[in-house]
Amino acid sequence: MSTHPIVVEDLSKRYTISAVKRRYDTLQDSVVASVRRVLSQEARGAQDRSFWALKGVSFRVDHGEVVALIGANGAGKSTLLKVLSRITEPTGGHAVIQGRVASLLEVGTGFQPELTGRENIFLSGAILGMRGAEINRKFDEIVEFSGVADFIDTPVKRYSSGMYVRLAFAVAAHLEPEIMFVDEILAVGDAAFQRKCLGKMKDAVTKGRTVLFVSHNMAAVLNLCPRAIWLHGGEIAADGPTDEVVNRYLHSLHELKGQRIADREDRRGNQAMRFVDFELRNAEGEQVGGVQSGEPVTFALRYDSDRDNLSNVYAGIAVHGTYDEKLFEMNTDLNGFRFKSLPREGTLLCTVPIVPLRPGSYSFNVFCSVSDEVADWVLNAGSIDVQPGDFFGSGKLPAADQGTFLVPHTWRLDGEAALSRSCGQVSQ
């Protein structure tokens, strides 16, 4: 028997995507489609296509190792954790897991919508292998950690996604497992909750637990994980010290930015609406290759669809820094509205009146949903090059090691008029 808590040997997973559409507008359409399926099984099978989410993945993890799984959308990270968690069966190869496992792979995994938060703590805890006495002992701590105490006796179907994931993580984190599988927990929740998550994971590290951590947050990966495995197209592209693997991965992302959004295949969503191109525009509405600190910029996102009408459309842009860390997000909900109706093709405009970034190159993700279903989500869809500008009206900018953001500000002695400049204006 292996002494390694995680052993993965030649693991593969294949999925089949049917070319037959499953949506039918009328009963007649459904009947006709059913008959055609029966009469042309062989032809239909030829139209179906399969893809390998994992292809020959092999690695071992030692006791107490904290290993990051990184890679673009569709690289196989989440599929790997699902196979290791016994949620889905592999097509080939095998994995041996030795030790008590806590898996947090999806928001509210194992929760029953009709049950309250309190009831789901006991249910989820039992599914994860906790005894009733253990859950009772840790109940108050779990609730306090989750931050949903005021709604603990409310059915979780009324929870927001953030409340779901906080409670789910709180239960899994208090299992005190020997092995933890964590998938994108830092992508959901506010800053305070993310700090709690990081603290809990650091606590797990100090206690010698074995962790597989999936994240797009390279700053967290570098902070938590001495080792990283980069998955690309279902295969291991690199496995080694985190800083080396992350640098190789980030270099590959830089190359992605040169591709047209329309040609990107590593995207999520049902594609009811998809982004096909973008450009940056200045204050005059002219296309530009870059912008200056303190100047306005408009993100123009061109989209298309096979639907005649798109309703209740949410759109967002997330700007990321050097290590793919999220710097800020701009979305329609933050502005208090959604597009009630959009034509099947057009251009969405998002204007930033003052670029608050110091000079450098920044990447951004684009996201949209239609009728509350994810339509398109492209990571590293493009980049924005920020050139030096006279942000403060003083001809000066902070040094490279003095932060990312430029913040308008003034100085004065209490009781005196402010004479320092702020964003090109002299305060009187």
Side-chain angles (χ1 to χ4, degrees):
M1 182 177 290
S2 171
T3 59
H4 298 276
I6 302 174
V7 177
V8 178
E9 297 286 352
D10 200 28
L11 201 65
S12 298
K13 177 63 180 180
R14 181 178 61 194
Y15 290 103
T16 299
I17 301 176
S18 175
V20 178
K21 294 184 178 180
R22 303 300 182 187
R23 179 180 176 184
Y24 310 111
D25 295 324
T26 66
L27 176 61
Q28 178 180 337
D29 293 338
S30 180
V31 171
V32 170
S34 298
V35 171
R36 286 176 176 171
R37 283 203 304 274
V38 172
L39 296 178
S40 59
Q41 289 292 322
E42 184 174 344
R44 183 177 68 86
Q47 292 177 347
D48 289 349
R49 65 184 181 89
S50 63
F51 76 96
W52 291 91
L54 297 172
K55 294 184 287 185
V57 172
S58 298
F59 63 91
R60 298 187 177 196
V61 179
D62 289 329
H63 288 283
E65 256 198 304
V66 183
V67 181
L69 296 176
I70 64 175
N73 286 345
K77 308 181 300 297
S78 297
T79 298
L80 176 57
L81 289 193
K82 288 179 180 178
V83 172
L84 298 182
S85 300
R86 304 291 188 263
I87 293 175
T88 186
E89 291 291 325
T91 305
H94 68 277
V96 178
I97 309 296
Q98 298 184 53
R100 192 182 193 192
V101 176
S103 299
L104 185 59
L105 308 186
E106 295 177 353
V107 173
T109 300
F111 278 15
Q112 294 300 312
E114 299 297 331
L115 299 182
T116 65
R118 181 187 302 275
E119 293 165 334
N120 270 294
I121 287 176
F122 283 90
L123 175 62
S124 181
I127 291 173
L128 290 171
M130 299 171 72
R131 297 182 180 277
E134 183 182 3
I135 300 173
N136 275 317
R137 187 173 70 254
K138 298 177 180 177
F139 181 84
D140 290 342
E141 188 179 350
I142 291 172
V143 174
E144 190 280 329
F145 185 96
S146 69
V148 300
D150 292 342
F151 306 94
I152 198 62
D153 291 310
T154 300
V156 298
K157 67 181 181 182
R158 296 178 185 154
Y159 282 17
S160 67
S161 61
M163 293 166 67
Y164 249 78
V165 77
R166 291 200 300 272
L167 189 57
F169 183 83
V171 176
H174 287 80
L175 174 62
E176 295 185 359
E178 296 168 284
I179 301 171
M180 290 181 70
F181 298 142
V182 184
D183 189 357
E184 287 294 1
I185 186 63
L186 298 178
V188 182
D190 57 22
F193 177 67
Q194 291 179 13
R195 285 195 296 272
K196 283 186 178 181
C197 294
L198 281 171
K200 204 67 179 176
M201 292 191 65
K202 288 179 179 178
D203 182 58
V205 171
T206 59
K207 291 182 178 179
R209 292 175 185 153
T210 304
V211 180
L212 278 184
F213 176 46
V214 169
S215 181
H216 285 107
N217 187 325
M218 293 302 106
V221 165
L222 288 163
N223 184 31
L224 288 171
C225 310
R227 174 186 170 194
I229 296 174
W230 170 23
L231 289 177
H232 179 71
E235 300 178 281
I236 293 181
D239 181 353
T242 301
D243 56 348
E244 296 178 10
V245 176
V246 166
N247 283 336
R248 290 180 59 182
Y249 171 62
L250 292 176
H251 180 73
S252 73
L253 294 184
H254 181 73
E255 294 177 345
L256 276 179
K257 297 171 192 173
Q259 297 183 25
R260 291 180 64 246
I261 301 180
D263 298 331
R264 293 280 296 275
E265 296 182 356
D266 57 325
R267 60 208 305 157
R268 298 180 188 175
N270 59 20
Q271 304 301 290
M273 167 182 174
R274 67 194 303 269
F275 295 109
V276 294
D277 206 354
F278 82 92
E279 64 183 34
L280 301 176
R281 298 177 183 176
N282 60 18
E284 288 71 41
E286 302 166 333
Q287 182 176 355
V288 293
V291 298
Q292 289 187 330
S293 299
E295 295 297 316
V297 65
T298 294
F299 292 79
L301 304 176
R302 190 159 62 85
Y303 71 89
D304 66 18
S305 173
D306 58 3
R307 298 185 183 181
D308 290 330
N309 184 62
L310 301 166
S311 60
N312 188 27
V313 175
Y314 164 101
I317 300 171
V319 177
H320 287 234
T322 304
Y323 289 102
D324 205 30
E325 73 277 19
K326 183 183 287 187
L327 299 179
F328 59 88
E329 181 169 341
M330 304 167 290
N331 63 58
T332 53
D333 279 1
L334 291 175
N335 283 152
F337 86 104
R338 293 193 180 191
F339 294 101
K340 293 183 179 179
S341 179
L342 290 176
R344 64 189 304 163
E345 60 181 45
T347 301
L348 303 183
L349 304 179
C350 176
T351 298
V352 180
I354 298 174
V355 174
L357 300 170
R358 58 161 288 102
S361 182
Y362 303 87
S363 64
F364 62 87
N365 306 336
V366 292
F367 176 93
C368 65
S369 67
V370 177
S371 300
D372 292 320
E373 292 187 5
V374 177
D376 200 16
W377 187 5
V378 186
L379 299 181
N380 292 281
S383 62
I384 173 172
D385 292 321
V386 180
Q387 305 299 323
D390 197 6
F391 186 93
F392 298 104
S394 64
K396 297 181 179 180
L397 288 174
D401 61 351
Q402 293 180 351
T404 300
F405 293 101
L406 304 177
V407 180
H409 63 280
T410 61
W411 287 89
R412 68 184 178 89
L413 177 66
D414 191 12
E416 298 285 341
L419 296 177
S420 59
R421 293 177 179 270
S422 173
C423 241
Q425 304 254 335
V426 178
S427 299
Q428 301 295 332

